[in-house]
């Protein structure tokens, strides 16, 4: 099994640019989660989907952030416009039912 | 709202010694509790989970944790540390649906030879 796939692994961009992070969950999983990890705030859940439908987006920091899941095998997290304070590692995770989330390797985002 | 406190941001043990990583939780409903491990530049991997079955939970790599409701604790232990256990460990709590995880700040475990 390939596990959760995230791309790109590293992204460096300039303030004001649009950033799109991508995630392919494990085949057959019905939940998908987006997390952000920073030194200051630790690991935070941003949003999660069940069967491609957003269930809870209360962790999305502001309107500059948006997430979509057009089908069961693909999700995106978009930041527009990006700011230096968005620099973090963004993780995608998926699960089959609750309790056991499988994490991807993460995307390290640096906004200059 | 749920929350997790991990006591000690860094723990150092000698190889072969007992590992004890502390986690206390706060929850208004019966919690689901988790321990994850993160190796450098990798994602998180589930070590074990408590979902209201047995209070002593055994996980991978020889780790186990005991749910103590009276102490609101879920400490992680391993009888004998191995060099490969060096990593960051996160305790997490979830509410009734087991999905929305709230993580602690993490504890970095160092294993000395």
């Amino acid at each position: 099994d390939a596990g959760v796939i995230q791309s790109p692994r590293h992204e460096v961009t300039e303030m004001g640019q649009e950033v799109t992070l991508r995630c392919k969950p494990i085949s057959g999983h019905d939940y998908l989660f987006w997390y952000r990890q920073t030194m200051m705030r630790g690991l935070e859940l941003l949003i999660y989907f069940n069967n491609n439908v957003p269930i809870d987006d209360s962790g999305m920091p502001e309107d500059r952030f948006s997430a979509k899941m057009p089908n069961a095998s693909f999700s995106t997290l978009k930041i527009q416009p990006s700011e230096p304070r968005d620099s973090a590692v963004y993780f995608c995770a998926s699960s089959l039912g609750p309790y056991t989330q499988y994490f991807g390797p993460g995307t390290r985002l640096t906004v200059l | 709202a749920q929350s997790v406190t991990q006591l000690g941001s860094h723990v150092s043990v000698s190889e072969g010694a007992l590992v004890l990583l502390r986690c206390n939780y706060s929850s208004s409903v019966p919690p689901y509790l988790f321990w994850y491990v993160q190796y450098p530049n990798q994602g998180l991997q589930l070590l074990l989970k408590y979902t209201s079955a047995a209070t002593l939970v055994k996980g991978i790599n020889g780790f186990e944790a005991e749910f103590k409701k009276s102490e609101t604790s879920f400490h992680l232990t391993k009888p004998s540390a191995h060099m490969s256990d060096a990593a960051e460990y996160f305790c997490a709590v979830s509410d009734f649906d087991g999905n929305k995880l709230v993580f602690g700040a993490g504890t970095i475990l160092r294993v000395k030879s």
Side-chain angles (χ1 to χ4, degrees), chain A residues 48-60:
Chain A
Y48 76 94
F49 297 81
N50 178 222
N51 292 323
N52 312 338
V53 176
I55 302 300
D56 189 327
D57 65 355
S58 59
M60 295 286 265

Side-chain angles (χ1 to χ4, degrees), chain A residues 40-97:
Chain A
M40 291 297 294
R41 300 177 65 90
L43 265 164
E44 304 172 281
L45 176 65
L46 300 178
I47 185 172
Y48 76 94
F49 297 81
N50 178 222
N51 292 323
N52 312 338
V53 176
I55 302 300
D56 189 327
D57 65 355
S58 59
M60 295 286 265
E62 49 197 275
D63 291 346
R64 297 184 298 106
F65 286 70
S66 62
K68 294 182 179 179
M69 192 165 186
N71 56 63
S73 59
F74 184 65
S75 177
T76 60
L77 179 67
K78 186 175 293 187
I79 308 172
Q80 165 64 15
S82 58
E83 297 182 3
R85 59 193 169 119
D86 302 330
S87 297
V89 180
Y90 291 82
F91 289 104
C92 176
S94 71
S95 68
L96 177 61

Side-chain angles (χ1 to χ4, degrees), chain A residues 9 31 33 35 37 43 45 48 56 58 91 98-101 103-104 108, chain B residues 32 34 36 38 41-44 46 49 51 90 97-101 103:
Chain A
R9 293 294 311 277
Y31 284 86
F33 306 82
Y35 291 88
Q37 185 178 36
L43 265 164
L45 176 65
Y48 76 94
D56 189 327
S58 59
F91 289 104
Y99 311 134
T100 306
Q101 296 181 23
F103 281 71
R108 183 174 296 276
Chain B
Y32 299 121
F34 308 81
Y36 282 83
Q38 184 179 29
N41 299 315
Q42 294 186 27
L44 279 72
L46 181 66
K49 59 180 183 277
T51 56
F90 293 91
D97 71 358
N99 282 315
K100 193 170 179 179
L101 298 181
F103 284 88

Side-chain angles (χ1 to χ4, degrees), chain B residues 5-8 11 20-24 35 74-76 91 107:
Chain B
T5 301
Q6 291 185 239
L7 297 176
V11 170
L20 171 60
L21 304 182
R22 300 177 186 274
C23 173
N24 288 89
W35 275 99
F74 191 57
H75 302 330
L76 182 70
C91 182
T107 297

Side-chain angles (χ1 to χ4, degrees), chain A residues 1-44:
Chain A
D1 199 336
V4 176
I5 299 172
Q6 292 187 245
S7 64
R9 293 294 311 277
H10 301 272
E11 176 80 34
V12 180
T13 190
E14 294 192 346
M15 182 174 62
Q17 297 298 306
E18 177 179 296
V19 175
T20 300
L21 311 181
R22 297 172 176 82
C23 176
K24 177 179 171 55
I26 294 172
S27 177
H29 282 190
D30 55 353
Y31 284 86
L32 184 137
F33 306 82
W34 282 101
Y35 291 88
R36 179 173 68 175
Q37 185 178 36
T38 62
M39 290 293 291
M40 291 297 294
R41 300 177 65 90
L43 265 164
E44 304 172 281

